[in-house]
Amino acid sequence: MKTRFSPRPVATASALALILAACGGGGGGGAGDSVAVTSPPPTGGGGGIGGSGQSTTSSGTIDGFGSIFVNGVRFDTDDAEVIIDGEVRGEDALRLGMVVLVTGEVADDGANGTARTVLYDNELTGPISRIETSADGNSRLLTVLGVNVIVERAGTVLDDVTFATLAVNDVVEVSGFTGRGDSLRATRVERESTFVAGQTRVTLSGQVGAVTGTEFVLGDLTVDFSAAEFEDIPGGTIAEGQTVRVSGTLNGTVVTASRIEAEQGPGSRFQEGETARVQGAITRYTSPASFRVGGVEIDASSAVLRPADLTLVNGLVVQIQGVWNDSQLVAERVDTRRGRIKVEAPVSAVNVDSFTVTLQLVPGTVTVQLDARTRLDDDTDQVDNLTLADIFPGDFLEVEAFLDGDTLFATTIDRDDDDDQVLQGPVQSFNPGADITILGLTYSTSGAEFEDRDDDDISSELFFANVQVGDLVKIKDDEIADGIADEVEFEDRNALEGEREFACFGDDDSLDEDSNDDSSDGCDDFSDDIQDESGDDDLTDDDGLADDDDLTDDDGLADDDDLTDDDGLADDDDLTDDDGLADDDGLTDDDGLADDDDLANEDSPDD
């Protein structure tokens, strides 16, 4: 089930203070060139919490190798014990995008460390039973063992499968973060095999539901634990409310468990007074002093934010650095780990010394700064572990970044085959019906198609009547690019790919066809602000209207039946039984209804 939500973009100071200058490094020169980057080389971002050889525990994605980069720290793994899904393995079994937990020490610079242990447990392994693709084609929703998994075209590391070839009955291993609406945002998906009922091994975690004899409910499945081995289960007894990890085989909706262990989050590994880092999506946000990341309680009331104008909301993927006080991670620093600025274009220049990449779009260039947190992935499979030294002019990159001051910091870089050029960022200026400027690059919008945040078509007039400086907008310049926008679309400042379509699940767009309200924490953070020509809103789910209540002719309403005051109906007259209308409906003869038309059952057409 899914419920759409609609972020209200907020113009930020940094978005409005982009510093524009001529940018060297190849092609497209002149007034169209964009953000000039003069940032220092990348650092680990320890920011004063690393210390000299201080013990630390760090939970986050593997973003690079040589040994491994986790949360901006390069951990030497030469002497580390590597445990993957409960088995001792070599460091060569570690893969890009895995969410791991590293224990070890961090040096004075906060950028280098030594790992004692590296632990990895996949979040989920099982067959895909359903796939849904977003309207813009940039995300897909996989249903795996009843869990909703969001996969991003350019934001998820895929192994032995591609974004396009994911298929029902593929058995996939998923690593990622639980976020808005209890959906799992995949950082890595690896295809293992094709599902065979009763034979294929599956793994899932969750909270034990009703227990009956030697079975219990886990999400949409029933677990038979009659022959299972237990690990760290209190008293060796399965009880409702426990959080467990189950391994076994699947047949229909029954998992025959071979092993059940107590599931513990990163916080169970933290030591009081220890420096710690945790990466994940914000959940259960109530204030800067109270929210969760990766199941860890966070107090960020005194933390430094990066960027400085960062807004903490449910679903935002962040990295927390701080000190564990035995119940909360008291944050000294909160860094965003996902950006909403996107550039998809060929490379015009690479500067290994300054750790920058310049991309060439038709109207000019955009330069992005890499650091130790930037995850590089090669979807062309030219190399196993992509580094900056492997990138050359002419390579086509898909870059995600965030703006910090006048610098674009890349969070992810994917090398891919040539495709449409894309520029997504905050609007700097526009001329209605003529052009729009983003990151210093001006695109003509003559002949372009326009879309709202739900990927629904809107007119050029409606787009320009609503767009404001600071709004996040995506421009697509179809291959072969010519500098004239083919598509112009409003985007959410806070919602990542797939969140509007897939992250919140409620009755209106039920996927499980039941009558339960499955809406989850964090699904009501946003509201839509697109206004139509009459000044009304765009009637998305937050209007309190059912999905098909777009007040068009197919609702069975006359053209003027928009239920506004001029219909002669009171404000609450939605024609349901609880309208507060008397039996005769309070409708007079001028409603065009016969006197006895009180809409009761006896009002047959013959009457």
Side-chain angles (χ1 to χ4, degrees):
M1 298 177 298
K2 56 182 181 180
T3 300
R4 292 185 296 273
F5 51 89
S6 312
R8 164 67 175 170
V10 178
T12 64
S14 62
L16 301 180
L18 286 167
I19 298 178
L20 307 179
C23 188
D33 283 358
S34 71
V35 183
V37 177
T38 56
S39 299
T43 67
I49 73 165
S52 178
Q54 286 192 7
S55 176
T56 189
T57 302
S58 188
S59 173
T61 54
I62 296 178
D63 298 314
F65 290 91
S67 298
I68 60 172
F69 285 82
V70 178
N71 290 328
V73 177
R74 178 189 176 276
F75 284 100
D76 186 328
T77 56
D78 286 348
D79 298 319
E81 182 180 42
V82 177
I83 302 175
I84 297 180
D85 294 329
E87 297 182 4
V88 177
R89 303 283 297 277
E91 61 180 328
D92 57 352
L94 298 171
R95 295 289 185 269
L96 193 70
M98 284 181 168
V99 178
V100 297
L101 189 141
V102 182
T103 61
E105 288 77 35
V106 176
D108 286 346
D109 59 9
N112 293 282
T114 301
R116 293 192 301 271
T117 62
V118 180
L119 304 178
Y120 168 74
D121 285 317
N122 68 78
E123 295 291 332
L124 185 68
T125 299
I128 300 172
S129 59
R130 177 188 174 97
I131 299 177
E132 186 175 352
T133 304
S134 63
D136 63 8
N138 288 327
S139 61
R140 306 188 82 180
L141 178 70
L142 314 182
T143 303
V144 181
L145 302 178
V147 177
N148 297 298
V149 179
I150 297 175
V151 176
E152 301 174 65
R153 179 178 60 83
T156 302
V157 177
L158 296 166
D159 195 350
D160 289 333
V161 71
T162 69
F163 181 80
T165 60
L166 285 163
V168 170
N169 282 332
D170 279 353
V171 177
V172 291
E173 177 183 303
V174 182
S175 188
F177 303 125
T178 298
R180 192 188 305 277
D182 293 330
S183 57
L184 180 62
R185 180 167 295 277
T187 57
R188 176 182 174 82
V189 173
E190 180 177 357
R191 184 185 184 279
E192 293 194 337
S193 63
T194 299
F195 177 66
V196 179
Q199 297 182 32
T200 301
R201 305 288 298 178
V202 301
T203 304
L204 71 160
S205 301
Q207 193 171 73
V208 174
V211 181
T212 305
T214 58
E215 295 184 341
F216 64 86
V217 175
L218 187 64
D220 294 338
L221 303 175
T222 298
V223 176
D224 176 355
F225 61 91
S226 57
E229 295 182 0
F230 292 167
E231 181 176 338
D232 297 328
I233 301 295
T237 302
I238 298 293
E240 187 172 348
Q242 291 174 337
T243 301
V244 296
R245 178 179 176 85
V246 177
S247 299
T249 57
L250 175 70
N251 196 340
T253 60
V254 177
V255 176
T256 301
S258 58
R259 181 183 181 86
I260 300 176
E261 57 187 304
E263 180 80 345
Q264 297 178 323
S268 65
R269 303 275 183 173
F270 295 164
Q271 301 295 317
E272 185 172 4
E274 178 187 59
T275 62
R277 295 167 171 84
V278 62
Q279 181 189 157
I282 292 177
T283 60
R284 301 192 185 183
Y285 179 86
T286 58
S287 73
S290 180
F291 59 91
R292 288 187 180 185
V293 173
V296 177
E297 293 285 347
I298 306 294
D299 176 2
S301 55
S302 300
V304 174
L305 304 181
R306 179 177 182 250
D309 57 4
L310 184 66
T311 300
L312 303 180
V313 295
N314 283 314
L316 180 70
V317 179
V318 295
Q319 175 186 317
I320 308 292
Q321 301 179 165
V323 177
W324 181 246
N325 69 4
D326 202 35
S327 62
Q328 280 186 314
L329 184 58
V330 180
E332 297 180 0
R333 179 168 175 153
V334 179
D335 291 72
T336 185
R337 287 303 305 265
R338 295 296 304 271
R340 294 298 291 137
I341 293 173
K342 295 187 177 182
V343 186
E344 299 180 17
V347 174
S348 66
V350 178
N351 190 322
V352 177
D353 294 331
S354 65
F355 228 51
T356 61
V357 173
T358 300
L359 297 111
Q360 181 70 62
L361 298 103
V362 175
T365 59
V366 174
T367 299
V368 294
Q369 177 78 50
L370 287 71
D371 66 15
R373 296 179 179 87
T374 305
R375 192 208 67 206
L376 290 89
D377 187 20
D378 188 8
D379 290 337
T380 67
D381 295 327
Q382 296 179 50
V383 296
D384 289 334
N385 297 313
L386 185 66
T387 68
L388 187 59
D390 299 314
I391 298 174
F392 299 96
D395 287 349
F396 191 90
L397 301 184
E398 299 171 338
V399 177
E400 177 188 280
F402 68 90
L403 188 64
D404 191 9
D406 63 343
T407 301
L408 287 175
F409 283 93
T411 54
T412 64
I413 292 180
D414 283 13
R415 180 163 63 185
D416 209 340
D417 298 326
D418 288 354
D419 203 343
D420 303 331
Q421 291 190 12
V422 171
L423 180 65
Q424 176 174 305
V427 173
Q428 289 176 283
S429 63
F430 57 90
N431 292 302
D435 58 51
I436 190 166
T437 300
I438 295 174
L439 299 181
L441 305 185
T442 300
Y443 280 83
S444 167
T445 59
S446 176
E449 296 178 353
F450 294 84
E451 295 180 355
D452 63 15
R453 293 181 184 88
D454 290 318
D455 298 307
D456 293 326
D457 292 339
I458 57 175
S459 66
S460 171
E461 291 77 14
L462 182 55
F463 175 87
F464 282 107
N466 285 275
V467 69
Q468 302 175 36
V469 170
D471 280 354
L472 191 68
V473 167
K474 178 169 69 178
I475 293 173
K476 181 182 287 187
D477 190 357
D478 290 348
E479 196 177 5
I480 301 171
D482 57 5
I484 300 174
D486 293 285
E487 294 180 21
V488 182
E489 179 182 351
F490 282 111
E491 292 288 340
D492 287 323
R493 183 171 296 280
N494 296 318
L496 294 174
E497 297 288 357
E499 277 191 312
R500 288 180 69 86
E501 299 94 335
F502 305 137
C504 296
F505 301 88
D507 288 337
D508 289 344
D509 296 306
S510 176
L511 289 177
D512 58 12
E513 299 179 356
D514 64 21
S515 59
N516 298 323
D517 182 0
D518 298 322
S519 298
S520 301
D521 169 67
C523 292
D524 57 355
D525 291 341
F526 305 112
S527 61
D528 212 317
D529 65 342
I530 304 300
Q531 304 289 312
D532 64 21
E533 289 84 352
S534 67
D536 199 358
D537 66 17
D538 60 357
L539 308 179
T540 51
D541 288 351
D542 59 349
D543 301 347
L545 301 179
D547 285 347
D548 63 349
D549 282 343
D550 55 3
L551 308 185
T552 55
D553 293 348
D554 60 358
D555 294 322
L557 301 177
D559 290 347
D560 62 348
D561 282 342
D562 56 2
L563 307 184
T564 55
D565 292 346
D566 60 359
D567 292 76
L569 300 179
D571 290 346
D572 64 349
D573 283 342
D574 57 0
L575 307 185
T576 57
D577 290 344
D578 59 355
D579 298 344
L581 300 179
D583 289 347
D584 62 357
D585 291 330
L587 302 177
T588 56
D589 292 347
D590 60 359
D591 295 321
L593 300 177
D595 291 345
D596 63 350
D597 281 344
D598 56 1
L599 307 182
N601 292 342
E602 65 268 27
D603 289 325
S604 67
D606 291 339
D607 290 339

